[in-house]
Amino acid sequence: MKKKIRFYQSINTKIVFVIVLLLVFALQLIGANFITQIERQLINNFQEDRQVQMDFLETAILPSLELEASGEETDVDPVEEINSLLTEFSGSGITELQVVNEDLVVMGTSDTTQQNIIGQLSDDLDLRQAVFSESTVPRQVIDPVTNNRRWKLVEPVYSTTDEGQFLGAILMESNIESVYNQISQITWIFLQASGVAIILSLILANMVSRALTKPIKEMQIQTRQIAEGDYSGTLKVYGEDELGQLASLINDLSDDVAEAQESIDAERRRLNGVLTHMTDGVVGTDRRGKIIIINDMAQNMLGLKEKAAIGENLLSVLAVEEEVSLRTILEEQEDLLINAHCGGVPTILRASFSLIQRESGFISGIVCVLHDVTEQERIDEERKQFVSNVSHELRTPLTSMRSYIEALADGAWEDPELAPRFLDVTQNETDRMIRMIEDLLHLSRIDSGKSALDLEIVDMSDMFDHVLNRFEMLIQSTEYQGKNYQIKKDLLKDAIFVEVDPDRMIQVLDNIMNNAIKYSPDGGTITGRMTKNENTVVISISDEGMGIPKADLNKIFSRFYRVDRARSRAMGGSGLGLAISKEVVEQHGGQIWAESKEGQGTTFNLSLPYVPFEEEDEWL
Ligand code: ADP
């Protein structure tokens, strides 16, 4: 995630700040030292200059003071002499000169307005101190009027002739303010130069730090791009320094990550491909059972879209929340059977669960595989149904036979009227059972593929005609006397050669014809019709009997299915005739179906594929 670096947090600012701070410290240190040194030097120079002037003045004044001390009367007035010397001497920064004799009497002053103090005792404290201590008094004072700093030097004067005799003192006051002004000026110049230096260093430091942080910024951009999944960029390596090495490491890393990502993507695509094309549904969840992945098949099976499924609870999507808890699944992982609607068709799904576990044993998710077991369940159900049907079908004749045999054993065998009837019934039931078992064996052979067809090229028209003729004879027999059956033929004139197993095909036709008579209790016309189109020949047998309810039309071809169980059984039907017919027709690559109107009659159709007879074949 992109996080904005604040101004004060940036390396750039930090580098600039440190460099400028260092410079300011250095300037401070240098400046303080430099200015103190200069100040000391300038003041020293000033004081030395004043000392030289003082020495010079002393030499000039000395004869006058000596004269004054000797008290000799000459035509030279020492006071006048001193005064004129002082007036001439003043200037060049000297603000006041005063000379006193050894009794502190003012001998002269350069201040023309103060001429009246000549001949009087000086009230200057420094002069007094110098006279009394006969020593030099150097002092800096502040002018009370102008507030300027003054350098005051009071020096005792000794006689050169009379050794060591104290003659008086000279006071020299000069303006030292100019020196301080000079220092201020120098300080100001220094400050200005420092300011310029700081500004320049700011610019320079900025440039330096930018040069330093540029590769870092580029690395930052590059790593962000890598994090966002863009591995196309390459960092420029500016040199062999640490940053250069880091840049090439990032480039290597980018390549590695790109490669790893590519292989992860390929793996994911492969996994997705496998999941998408799997015939089983796969649903993956997190450890709390929330769906995170669902393949197309599972979406179809559960009838929901990926968007709707993601994030949903697996158990509620499978609608088994009430039967099983997530904990049970995590602990036992037992398969579940689920009733679902796959594209509107009711389906039975078997859900198998497995856990996704880390090495530590931590369960990070569940994988649920959904397998469509509708067909399997249907077959299983049919098998159960079949076994139950067979048992039932065998039990009924056996029970009735048993009761007849019991009756015979109880004495009915002696009854000349009952005995043959009872024996007849048991014989019929036995025949029916044998027929049924034969039928079952036949079906079983077909189911196991052991019933191979004995194919021959047969003229179907001829064969059908033959069957119909046989039935025509049959209905004229005594058994059907009184019932008005008629057989009508609507056959093709030409021969139709079809490759069939004649015995089996006759068995099918017999069965349909038998049914037509059996289920037409009041007689009626039975029509045998034959049509052909391009590649198929269709045989239809219609009756005018009781017909079949619409709901049962598709079921009559199932094993043991009978519309009217009691009637069928009474007629000696096993409920297997049509099932066998269907199998046989399908074995021939054909189809069988029925059309019926309840109470009006039924038509059975069977279509068989055939290769049309070709002219050229005649010559072969
Ligand atoms: P069954 O031995 O009981 O006749 P089939 O398999 O031959 O067994 O026929 C199955 C059921 O189909 C019969 O029990 C009957 O109810 C119905 N059926 C078959 N043919 C006809 C028909 N022509 N008219 C009415 N119902 C028929």
Side-chain angles (χ1 to χ4, degrees), residues 404-417:
Y404 281 106
I405 291 169
E406 267 175 10
L408 286 169
D410 285 348
W413 65 276
E414 286 173 319
D415 186 330
E417 207 184 304

Side-chain angles (χ1 to χ4, degrees), residues 329-573:
I329 286 179
L330 291 175
E331 281 169 3
E332 295 167 14
Q333 300 128 51
E334 269 180 14
D335 289 1
L336 290 177
L337 280 182
I338 292 158
N339 290 315
H341 281 267
C342 182
V345 183
T347 43
I348 302 167
L349 303 175
R350 192 181 59 232
S352 318
F353 300 92
S354 54
L355 307 180
I356 309 172
Q357 268 174 313
R358 295 194 191 146
E359 265 175 52
S360 60
F362 179 80
I363 296 167
S364 58
I366 303 168
V367 174
C368 168
V369 177
L370 298 169
H371 189 69
D372 188 342
V373 290
T374 320
E375 190 60 17
Q376 224 168 298
E377 290 290 312
R378 190 184 62 77
I379 292 170
D380 210 33
E381 188 53 40
E382 269 181 11
R383 189 183 52 79
K384 285 184 198 155
Q385 189 66 42
F386 181 73
V387 171
S388 131
N389 279 341
V390 171
S391 332
H392 186 75
E393 292 297 332
L394 288 176
R395 221 187 97 199
T396 319
L398 281 172
T399 330
S400 91
M401 272 166 66
R402 189 186 161 167
S403 53
Y404 281 106
I405 291 169
E406 267 175 10
L408 286 169
D410 285 348
W413 65 276
E414 286 173 319
D415 186 330
E417 207 184 304
L418 280 180
R421 215 153 52 93
F422 281 14
L423 282 171
D424 200 36
V425 171
T426 46
Q427 198 176 358
N428 277 345
E429 290 294 320
T430 317
D431 286 349
R432 204 158 71 83
M433 276 197 300
I434 290 170
R435 262 202 318 280
M436 193 202 288
I437 285 166
E438 272 170 359
D439 284 351
L440 278 173
L441 285 172
H442 189 180
L443 272 173
S444 155
R445 277 199 301 277
I446 295 176
D447 286 346
S448 59
K450 283 179 190 155
S451 162
L453 295 177
D454 201 358
L455 292 174
E456 278 175 38
I457 305 270
V458 177
D459 176 2
M460 265 324 262
S461 297
D462 187 45
M463 185 204 246
F464 191 28
D465 189 37
H466 185 74
V467 171
L468 290 174
N469 288 340
R470 210 160 25 81
F471 273 89
E472 225 162 14
M473 299 277 286
L474 186 77
I475 52 173
Q476 281 154 21
S477 68
T478 45
E479 194 182 339
Y480 295 101
Q481 245 170 17
K483 295 222 175 130
N484 189 18
Y485 285 113
Q486 264 184 13
I487 290 187
K488 210 172 128 192
K489 296 181 195 168
D490 183 4
L491 304 177
L492 293 167
K493 286 195 188 80
D494 301 333
I496 302 266
F497 290 102
V498 183
E499 202 176 16
V500 291
D501 182 332
D503 290 347
R504 298 279 162 79
M505 209 33 88
I506 287 172
Q507 193 187 351
V508 171
L509 294 173
D510 276 357
N511 184 35
I512 295 173
M513 281 304 289
N514 258 325
N515 280 350
I517 294 170
K518 225 168 32 176
Y519 300 107
S520 304
D522 309 325
T525 309
I526 293 163
T527 315
R529 192 175 287 116
M530 207 167 163
T531 50
K532 65 164 183 176
N533 49 40
E534 225 177 312
N535 295 312
T536 46
V537 52
V538 181
I539 296 170
S540 313
I541 296 168
S542 310
D543 62 52
E544 293 173 348
M546 57 209 285
I548 302 167
K550 219 180 167 91
D552 297 301
L553 262 184
N554 284 328
K555 300 178 193 163
I556 51 171
F557 297 100
S558 307
R559 295 172 192 192
F560 294 113
Y561 192 84
R562 281 165 294 197
V563 177
D564 184 342
R565 218 163 250 274
R567 174 192 277 273
S568 163
R569 200 172 287 128
M571 305 260 194

